PDB file of all heavy atoms in Angstrom:
ATOM      1  N   ASP U 127     121.931 120.706  76.538  1.00  0.00           N
ATOM      2  CA  ASP U 127     120.885 120.281  77.455  1.00  0.00           C
ATOM      3  C   ASP U 127     120.685 118.773  77.373  1.00  0.00           C
ATOM      4  O   ASP U 127     121.138 118.114  76.430  1.00  0.00           O
ATOM      5  CB  ASP U 127     119.578 120.993  77.115  1.00  0.00           C
ATOM      6  CG  ASP U 127     118.665 121.118  78.320  1.00  0.00           C
ATOM      7  OD1 ASP U 127     119.013 120.615  79.409  1.00  0.00           O
ATOM      8  OD2 ASP U 127     117.591 121.722  78.160  1.00  0.00           O
ATOM      9  N   ARG U 128     120.005 118.232  78.366  1.00  0.00           N
ATOM     10  CA  ARG U 128     119.655 116.817  78.404  1.00  0.00           C
ATOM     11  C   ARG U 128     118.143 116.711  78.311  1.00  0.00           C
ATOM     12  O   ARG U 128     117.417 117.513  78.891  1.00  0.00           O
ATOM     13  CB  ARG U 128     120.158 116.172  79.692  1.00  0.00           C
ATOM     14  CG  ARG U 128     121.666 116.240  79.775  1.00  0.00           C
ATOM     15  CD  ARG U 128     122.207 115.582  80.996  1.00  0.00           C
ATOM     16  NE  ARG U 128     121.772 116.276  82.194  1.00  0.00           N
ATOM     17  CZ  ARG U 128     121.968 115.816  83.409  1.00  0.00           C
ATOM     18  NH1 ARG U 128     122.566 114.663  83.581  1.00  0.00           N
ATOM     19  NH2 ARG U 128     121.575 116.482  84.465  1.00  0.00           N
ATOM     20  N   TYR U 129     117.653 115.680  77.605  1.00  0.00           N
ATOM     21  CA  TYR U 129     116.224 115.525  77.366  1.00  0.00           C
ATOM     22  C   TYR U 129     115.745 114.183  77.899  1.00  0.00           C
ATOM     23  O   TYR U 129     116.298 113.136  77.567  1.00  0.00           O
ATOM     24  CB  TYR U 129     115.914 115.629  75.877  1.00  0.00           C
ATOM     25  CG  TYR U 129     116.242 116.993  75.340  1.00  0.00           C
ATOM     26  CD1 TYR U 129     117.465 117.248  74.745  1.00  0.00           C
ATOM     27  CD2 TYR U 129     115.327 118.034  75.442  1.00  0.00           C
ATOM     28  CE1 TYR U 129     117.773 118.506  74.263  1.00  0.00           C
ATOM     29  CE2 TYR U 129     115.623 119.295  74.960  1.00  0.00           C
ATOM     30  CZ  TYR U 129     116.847 119.526  74.368  1.00  0.00           C
ATOM     31  OH  TYR U 129     117.148 120.772  73.905  1.00  0.00           O
ATOM     32  N   TYR U 130     114.697 114.230  78.708  1.00  0.00           N
ATOM     33  CA  TYR U 130     114.070 113.048  79.295  1.00  0.00           C
ATOM     34  C   TYR U 130     112.716 112.799  78.640  1.00  0.00           C
ATOM     35  O   TYR U 130     112.095 113.717  78.115  1.00  0.00           O
ATOM     36  CB  TYR U 130     113.844 113.244  80.799  1.00  0.00           C
ATOM     37  CG  TYR U 130     115.071 113.076  81.631  1.00  0.00           C
ATOM     38  CD1 TYR U 130     116.001 114.097  81.743  1.00  0.00           C
ATOM     39  CD2 TYR U 130     115.305 111.897  82.312  1.00  0.00           C
ATOM     40  CE1 TYR U 130     117.132 113.956  82.519  1.00  0.00           C
ATOM     41  CE2 TYR U 130     116.438 111.733  83.095  1.00  0.00           C
ATOM     42  CZ  TYR U 130     117.345 112.772  83.197  1.00  0.00           C
ATOM     43  OH  TYR U 130     118.465 112.608  83.964  1.00  0.00           O
ATOM     44  N   GLY U 131     112.253 111.558  78.733  1.00  0.00           N
ATOM     45  CA  GLY U 131     110.938 111.229  78.221  1.00  0.00           C
ATOM     46  C   GLY U 131     110.611 109.768  78.442  1.00  0.00           C
ATOM     47  O   GLY U 131     111.452 108.980  78.883  1.00  0.00           O
ATOM     48  N   PRO U 132     109.377 109.368  78.112  1.00  0.00           N
ATOM     49  CA  PRO U 132     108.980 107.965  78.263  1.00  0.00           C
ATOM     50  C   PRO U 132     109.546 107.120  77.120  1.00  0.00           C
ATOM     51  O   PRO U 132     109.774 107.618  76.020  1.00  0.00           O
ATOM     52  CB  PRO U 132     107.461 108.020  78.196  1.00  0.00           C
ATOM     53  CG  PRO U 132     107.169 109.224  77.366  1.00  0.00           C
ATOM     54  CD  PRO U 132     108.266 110.208  77.678  1.00  0.00           C
ATOM     55  N   GLY U 133     109.763 105.856  77.424  1.00  0.00           N
ATOM     56  CA  GLY U 133     110.273 104.943  76.406  1.00  0.00           C
ATOM     57  C   GLY U 133     109.745 103.541  76.596  1.00  0.00           C
ATOM     58  O   GLY U 133     109.282 103.165  77.678  1.00  0.00           O
ATOM     59  N   LEU U 134     109.819 102.767  75.530  1.00  0.00           N
ATOM     60  CA  LEU U 134     109.377 101.380  75.526  1.00  0.00           C
ATOM     61  C   LEU U 134     110.497 100.534  74.950  1.00  0.00           C
ATOM     62  O   LEU U 134     111.011 100.834  73.867  1.00  0.00           O
ATOM     63  CB  LEU U 134     108.106 101.239  74.687  1.00  0.00           C
ATOM     64  CG  LEU U 134     107.414  99.888  74.682  1.00  0.00           C
ATOM     65  CD1 LEU U 134     106.876  99.558  76.083  1.00  0.00           C
ATOM     66  CD2 LEU U 134     106.284  99.876  73.676  1.00  0.00           C
ATOM     67  N   GLN U 135     110.900  99.488  75.687  1.00  0.00           N
ATOM     68  CA  GLN U 135     111.960  98.596  75.231  1.00  0.00           C
ATOM     69  C   GLN U 135     111.521  97.140  75.354  1.00  0.00           C
ATOM     70  O   GLN U 135     110.714  96.801  76.224  1.00  0.00           O
ATOM     71  CB  GLN U 135     113.232  98.773  76.072  1.00  0.00           C
ATOM     72  CG  GLN U 135     113.906 100.108  75.904  1.00  0.00           C
ATOM     73  CD  GLN U 135     115.278 100.106  76.538  1.00  0.00           C
ATOM     74  OE1 GLN U 135     116.237  99.669  75.910  1.00  0.00           O
ATOM     75  NE2 GLN U 135     115.378 100.592  77.761  1.00  0.00           N
ATOM     76  N   VAL U 136     112.087  96.304  74.508  1.00  0.00           N
ATOM     77  CA  VAL U 136     111.968  94.854  74.635  1.00  0.00           C
ATOM     78  C   VAL U 136     113.360  94.324  74.923  1.00  0.00           C
ATOM     79  O   VAL U 136     114.355  94.907  74.480  1.00  0.00           O
ATOM     80  CB  VAL U 136     111.376  94.180  73.372  1.00  0.00           C
ATOM     81  CG1 VAL U 136     109.958  94.637  73.143  1.00  0.00           C
ATOM     82  CG2 VAL U 136     112.229  94.441  72.157  1.00  0.00           C
ATOM     83  N   GLY U 137     113.437  93.238  75.678  1.00  0.00           N
ATOM     84  CA  GLY U 137     114.761  92.745  76.023  1.00  0.00           C
ATOM     85  C   GLY U 137     114.779  91.285  76.390  1.00  0.00           C
ATOM     86  O   GLY U 137     113.755  90.592  76.409  1.00  0.00           O
ATOM     87  N   TYR U 138     115.990  90.827  76.717  1.00  0.00           N
ATOM     88  CA  TYR U 138     116.265  89.447  77.096  1.00  0.00           C
ATOM     89  C   TYR U 138     117.031  89.465  78.406  1.00  0.00           C
ATOM     90  O   TYR U 138     117.915  90.298  78.609  1.00  0.00           O
ATOM     91  CB  TYR U 138     117.106  88.765  76.013  1.00  0.00           C
ATOM     92  CG  TYR U 138     117.750  87.486  76.458  1.00  0.00           C
ATOM     93  CD1 TYR U 138     117.017  86.302  76.533  1.00  0.00           C
ATOM     94  CD2 TYR U 138     119.087  87.456  76.828  1.00  0.00           C
ATOM     95  CE1 TYR U 138     117.605  85.126  76.954  1.00  0.00           C
ATOM     96  CE2 TYR U 138     119.687  86.279  77.253  1.00  0.00           C
ATOM     97  CZ  TYR U 138     118.944  85.116  77.313  1.00  0.00           C
ATOM     98  OH  TYR U 138     119.521  83.953  77.737  1.00  0.00           O
ATOM     99  N   GLN U 139     116.697  88.548  79.316  1.00  0.00           N
ATOM    100  CA  GLN U 139     117.419  88.425  80.581  1.00  0.00           C
ATOM    101  C   GLN U 139     117.797  86.973  80.810  1.00  0.00           C
ATOM    102  O   GLN U 139     116.974  86.073  80.642  1.00  0.00           O
ATOM    103  CB  GLN U 139     116.557  88.921  81.744  1.00  0.00           C
ATOM    104  CG  GLN U 139     117.289  88.908  83.071  1.00  0.00           C
ATOM    105  CD  GLN U 139     116.397  89.309  84.221  1.00  0.00           C
ATOM    106  OE1 GLN U 139     115.456  88.600  84.537  1.00  0.00           O
ATOM    107  NE2 GLN U 139     116.689  90.446  84.823  1.00  0.00           N
ATOM    108  N   TYR U 140     119.053  86.753  81.197  1.00  0.00           N
ATOM    109  CA  TYR U 140     119.541  85.429  81.585  1.00  0.00           C
ATOM    110  C   TYR U 140     119.953  85.507  83.052  1.00  0.00           C
ATOM    111  O   TYR U 140     120.733  86.387  83.432  1.00  0.00           O
ATOM    112  CB  TYR U 140     120.745  85.016  80.743  1.00  0.00           C
ATOM    113  CG  TYR U 140     121.433  83.793  81.290  1.00  0.00           C
ATOM    114  CD1 TYR U 140     120.905  82.530  81.078  1.00  0.00           C
ATOM    115  CD2 TYR U 140     122.597  83.898  82.042  1.00  0.00           C
ATOM    116  CE1 TYR U 140     121.517  81.397  81.604  1.00  0.00           C
ATOM    117  CE2 TYR U 140     123.219  82.780  82.567  1.00  0.00           C
ATOM    118  CZ  TYR U 140     122.676  81.528  82.341  1.00  0.00           C
ATOM    119  OH  TYR U 140     123.281  80.419  82.859  1.00  0.00           O
ATOM    120  N   THR U 141     119.419  84.614  83.877  1.00  0.00           N
ATOM    121  CA  THR U 141     119.784  84.553  85.286  1.00  0.00           C
ATOM    122  C   THR U 141     120.277  83.148  85.578  1.00  0.00           C
ATOM    123  O   THR U 141     119.517  82.182  85.465  1.00  0.00           O
ATOM    124  CB  THR U 141     118.592  84.897  86.196  1.00  0.00           C
ATOM    125  OG1 THR U 141     118.106  86.176  85.822  1.00  0.00           O
ATOM    126  CG2 THR U 141     119.013  84.927  87.649  1.00  0.00           C
ATOM    127  N   ALA U 142     121.538  83.024  85.957  1.00  0.00           N
ATOM    128  CA  ALA U 142     122.109  81.723  86.291  1.00  0.00           C
ATOM    129  C   ALA U 142     121.524  81.226  87.605  1.00  0.00           C
ATOM    130  O   ALA U 142     120.916  81.984  88.360  1.00  0.00           O
ATOM    131  CB  ALA U 142     123.629  81.828  86.392  1.00  0.00           C
ATOM    132  N   ARG U 143     121.710  79.952  87.891  1.00  0.00           N
ATOM    133  CA  ARG U 143     121.161  79.345  89.098  1.00  0.00           C
ATOM    134  C   ARG U 143     121.710  80.020  90.358  1.00  0.00           C
ATOM    135  O   ARG U 143     120.995  80.227  91.310  1.00  0.00           O
ATOM    136  CB  ARG U 143     121.495  77.867  89.123  1.00  0.00           C
ATOM    137  CG  ARG U 143     120.985  77.196  90.385  1.00  0.00           C
ATOM    138  CD  ARG U 143     121.077  75.732  90.296  1.00  0.00           C
ATOM    139  NE  ARG U 143     120.013  75.310  89.387  1.00  0.00           N
ATOM    140  CZ  ARG U 143     119.950  74.144  88.816  1.00  0.00           C
ATOM    141  NH1 ARG U 143     120.880  73.268  89.022  1.00  0.00           N
ATOM    142  NH2 ARG U 143     118.980  73.821  88.011  1.00  0.00           N
ATOM    143  N   ARG U 144     122.965  80.372  90.368  1.00  0.00           N
ATOM    144  CA  ARG U 144     123.576  80.947  91.572  1.00  0.00           C
ATOM    145  C   ARG U 144     123.228  82.424  91.731  1.00  0.00           C
ATOM    146  O   ARG U 144     122.518  82.810  92.611  1.00  0.00           O
ATOM    147  CB  ARG U 144     125.091  80.785  91.541  1.00  0.00           C
ATOM    148  CG  ARG U 144     125.518  79.362  91.560  1.00  0.00           C
ATOM    149  CD  ARG U 144     125.628  78.890  92.977  1.00  0.00           C
ATOM    150  NE  ARG U 144     126.104  77.523  92.969  1.00  0.00           N
ATOM    151  CZ  ARG U 144     125.847  76.675  93.904  1.00  0.00           C
ATOM    152  NH1 ARG U 144     125.149  77.035  94.935  1.00  0.00           N
ATOM    153  NH2 ARG U 144     126.289  75.458  93.836  1.00  0.00           N
ATOM    154  N   TRP U 145     123.770  83.292  90.878  1.00  0.00           N
ATOM    155  CA  TRP U 145     123.559  84.724  91.079  1.00  0.00           C
ATOM    156  C   TRP U 145     123.724  85.553  89.822  1.00  0.00           C
ATOM    157  O   TRP U 145     123.114  86.599  89.688  1.00  0.00           O
ATOM    158  CB  TRP U 145     124.514  85.250  92.137  1.00  0.00           C
ATOM    159  CG  TRP U 145     125.957  85.116  91.741  1.00  0.00           C
ATOM    160  CD1 TRP U 145     126.774  84.050  91.968  1.00  0.00           C
ATOM    161  CD2 TRP U 145     126.747  86.060  91.025  1.00  0.00           C
ATOM    162  NE1 TRP U 145     128.018  84.263  91.438  1.00  0.00           N
ATOM    163  CE2 TRP U 145     128.028  85.508  90.858  1.00  0.00           C
ATOM    164  CE3 TRP U 145     126.497  87.330  90.501  1.00  0.00           C
ATOM    165  CZ2 TRP U 145     129.052  86.174  90.201  1.00  0.00           C
ATOM    166  CZ3 TRP U 145     127.530  87.981  89.848  1.00  0.00           C
ATOM    167  CH2 TRP U 145     128.788  87.399  89.715  1.00  0.00           C
ATOM    168  N   PHE U 146     124.581  85.175  88.899  1.00  0.00           N
ATOM    169  CA  PHE U 146     124.930  86.011  87.748  1.00  0.00           C
ATOM    170  C   PHE U 146     123.710  86.297  86.872  1.00  0.00           C
ATOM    171  O   PHE U 146     122.941  85.401  86.550  1.00  0.00           O
ATOM    172  CB  PHE U 146     126.015  85.327  86.911  1.00  0.00           C
ATOM    173  CG  PHE U 146     126.369  86.102  85.671  1.00  0.00           C
ATOM    174  CD1 PHE U 146     127.166  87.218  85.732  1.00  0.00           C
ATOM    175  CD2 PHE U 146     125.868  85.718  84.440  1.00  0.00           C
ATOM    176  CE1 PHE U 146     127.485  87.946  84.589  1.00  0.00           C
ATOM    177  CE2 PHE U 146     126.177  86.426  83.287  1.00  0.00           C
ATOM    178  CZ  PHE U 146     126.990  87.538  83.373  1.00  0.00           C
ATOM    179  N   THR U 147     123.564  87.559  86.471  1.00  0.00           N
ATOM    180  CA  THR U 147     122.464  87.979  85.603  1.00  0.00           C
ATOM    181  C   THR U 147     123.006  88.841  84.481  1.00  0.00           C
ATOM    182  O   THR U 147     123.856  89.703  84.703  1.00  0.00           O
ATOM    183  CB  THR U 147     121.412  88.774  86.400  1.00  0.00           C
ATOM    184  OG1 THR U 147     120.936  87.960  87.463  1.00  0.00           O
ATOM    185  CG2 THR U 147     120.247  89.189  85.525  1.00  0.00           C
ATOM    186  N   PHE U 148     122.509  88.601  83.262  1.00  0.00           N
ATOM    187  CA  PHE U 148     122.865  89.386  82.086  1.00  0.00           C
ATOM    188  C   PHE U 148     121.575  89.823  81.415  1.00  0.00           C
ATOM    189  O   PHE U 148     120.613  89.058  81.359  1.00  0.00           O
ATOM    190  CB  PHE U 148     123.689  88.543  81.104  1.00  0.00           C
ATOM    191  CG  PHE U 148     123.813  89.178  79.750  1.00  0.00           C
ATOM    192  CD1 PHE U 148     124.743  90.179  79.519  1.00  0.00           C
ATOM    193  CD2 PHE U 148     122.985  88.796  78.704  1.00  0.00           C
ATOM    194  CE1 PHE U 148     124.840  90.789  78.273  1.00  0.00           C
ATOM    195  CE2 PHE U 148     123.080  89.392  77.465  1.00  0.00           C
ATOM    196  CZ  PHE U 148     124.017  90.384  77.238  1.00  0.00           C
ATOM    197  N   GLU U 149     121.556  91.050  80.890  1.00  0.00           N
ATOM    198  CA  GLU U 149     120.384  91.499  80.138  1.00  0.00           C
ATOM    199  C   GLU U 149     120.791  92.455  79.024  1.00  0.00           C
ATOM    200  O   GLU U 149     121.800  93.138  79.115  1.00  0.00           O
ATOM    201  CB  GLU U 149     119.343  92.138  81.056  1.00  0.00           C
ATOM    202  CG  GLU U 149     119.772  93.410  81.711  1.00  0.00           C
ATOM    203  CD  GLU U 149     118.729  93.941  82.679  1.00  0.00           C
ATOM    204  OE1 GLU U 149     118.030  93.135  83.334  1.00  0.00           O
ATOM    205  OE2 GLU U 149     118.619  95.170  82.772  1.00  0.00           O
ATOM    206  N   ALA U 150     119.966  92.459  77.985  1.00  0.00           N
ATOM    207  CA  ALA U 150     120.152  93.360  76.842  1.00  0.00           C
ATOM    208  C   ALA U 150     118.768  93.796  76.370  1.00  0.00           C
ATOM    209  O   ALA U 150     117.815  93.019  76.430  1.00  0.00           O
ATOM    210  CB  ALA U 150     120.903  92.652  75.719  1.00  0.00           C
ATOM    211  N   SER U 151     118.668  95.056  75.898  1.00  0.00           N
ATOM    212  CA  SER U 151     117.367  95.573  75.470  1.00  0.00           C
ATOM    213  C   SER U 151     117.529  96.623  74.377  1.00  0.00           C
ATOM    214  O   SER U 151     118.587  97.241  74.246  1.00  0.00           O
ATOM    215  CB  SER U 151     116.620  96.180  76.657  1.00  0.00           C
ATOM    216  OG  SER U 151     117.366  97.240  77.211  1.00  0.00           O
ATOM    217  N   VAL U 152     116.470  96.809  73.580  1.00  0.00           N
ATOM    218  CA  VAL U 152     116.409  97.843  72.542  1.00  0.00           C
ATOM    219  C   VAL U 152     114.991  98.397  72.511  1.00  0.00           C
ATOM    220  O   VAL U 152     114.037  97.718  72.899  1.00  0.00           O
ATOM    221  CB  VAL U 152     116.793  97.319  71.138  1.00  0.00           C
ATOM    222  CG1 VAL U 152     118.236  96.883  71.084  1.00  0.00           C
ATOM    223  CG2 VAL U 152     115.871  96.206  70.715  1.00  0.00           C
ATOM    224  N   GLY U 153     114.858  99.637  72.050  1.00  0.00           N
ATOM    225  CA  GLY U 153     113.539 100.238  71.962  1.00  0.00           C
ATOM    226  C   GLY U 153     113.609 101.663  71.464  1.00  0.00           C
ATOM    227  O   GLY U 153     114.589 102.079  70.835  1.00  0.00           O
ATOM    228  N   ALA U 154     112.564 102.430  71.764  1.00  0.00           N
ATOM    229  CA  ALA U 154     112.491 103.830  71.343  1.00  0.00           C
ATOM    230  C   ALA U 154     111.779 104.641  72.413  1.00  0.00           C
ATOM    231  O   ALA U 154     110.941 104.119  73.148  1.00  0.00           O
ATOM    232  CB  ALA U 154     111.743 103.952  70.020  1.00  0.00           C
ATOM    233  N   GLY U 155     112.153 105.925  72.490  1.00  0.00           N
ATOM    234  CA  GLY U 155     111.532 106.830  73.443  1.00  0.00           C
ATOM    235  C   GLY U 155     111.169 108.131  72.763  1.00  0.00           C
ATOM    236  O   GLY U 155     111.612 108.427  71.649  1.00  0.00           O
ATOM    237  N   TYR U 156     110.366 108.936  73.453  1.00  0.00           N
ATOM    238  CA  TYR U 156     109.919 110.201  72.884  1.00  0.00           C
ATOM    239  C   TYR U 156     110.023 111.320  73.917  1.00  0.00           C
ATOM    240  O   TYR U 156     109.546 111.180  75.042  1.00  0.00           O
ATOM    241  CB  TYR U 156     108.468 110.101  72.405  1.00  0.00           C
ATOM    242  CG  TYR U 156     107.943 111.392  71.857  1.00  0.00           C
ATOM    243  CD1 TYR U 156     108.324 111.818  70.591  1.00  0.00           C
ATOM    244  CD2 TYR U 156     107.104 112.202  72.602  1.00  0.00           C
ATOM    245  CE1 TYR U 156     107.868 113.017  70.082  1.00  0.00           C
ATOM    246  CE2 TYR U 156     106.629 113.395  72.092  1.00  0.00           C
ATOM    247  CZ  TYR U 156     107.013 113.798  70.835  1.00  0.00           C
ATOM    248  OH  TYR U 156     106.571 114.990  70.328  1.00  0.00           O
ATOM    249  N   SER U 157     110.643 112.413  73.513  1.00  0.00           N
ATOM    250  CA  SER U 157     110.709 113.601  74.350  1.00  0.00           C
ATOM    251  C   SER U 157     110.255 114.795  73.524  1.00  0.00           C
ATOM    252  O   SER U 157     110.904 115.157  72.532  1.00  0.00           O
ATOM    253  CB  SER U 157     112.124 113.836  74.861  1.00  0.00           C
ATOM    254  OG  SER U 157     112.156 114.997  75.653  1.00  0.00           O
ATOM    255  N   PRO U 158     109.143 115.412  73.894  1.00  0.00           N
ATOM    256  CA  PRO U 158     108.616 116.515  73.085  1.00  0.00           C
ATOM    257  C   PRO U 158     109.532 117.724  73.042  1.00  0.00           C
ATOM    258  O   PRO U 158     109.477 118.519  72.107  1.00  0.00           O
ATOM    259  CB  PRO U 158     107.290 116.854  73.759  1.00  0.00           C
ATOM    260  CG  PRO U 158     107.357 116.261  75.113  1.00  0.00           C
ATOM    261  CD  PRO U 158     108.311 115.119  75.044  1.00  0.00           C
ATOM    262  N   GLY U 159     110.438 117.894  73.997  1.00  0.00           N
ATOM    263  CA  GLY U 159     111.315 119.062  74.017  1.00  0.00           C
ATOM    264  C   GLY U 159     112.536 118.948  73.130  1.00  0.00           C
ATOM    265  O   GLY U 159     113.334 119.875  73.051  1.00  0.00           O
TER     266      GLY U 159
END
């Protein structure tokens, strides 16, 4: 089975002047099932 739930992450985003965007994040989530 697959389990869904709410989560909270912190991250970093870099957006270049033209268009390129990079992001990375870490955190934790909880699913009661």
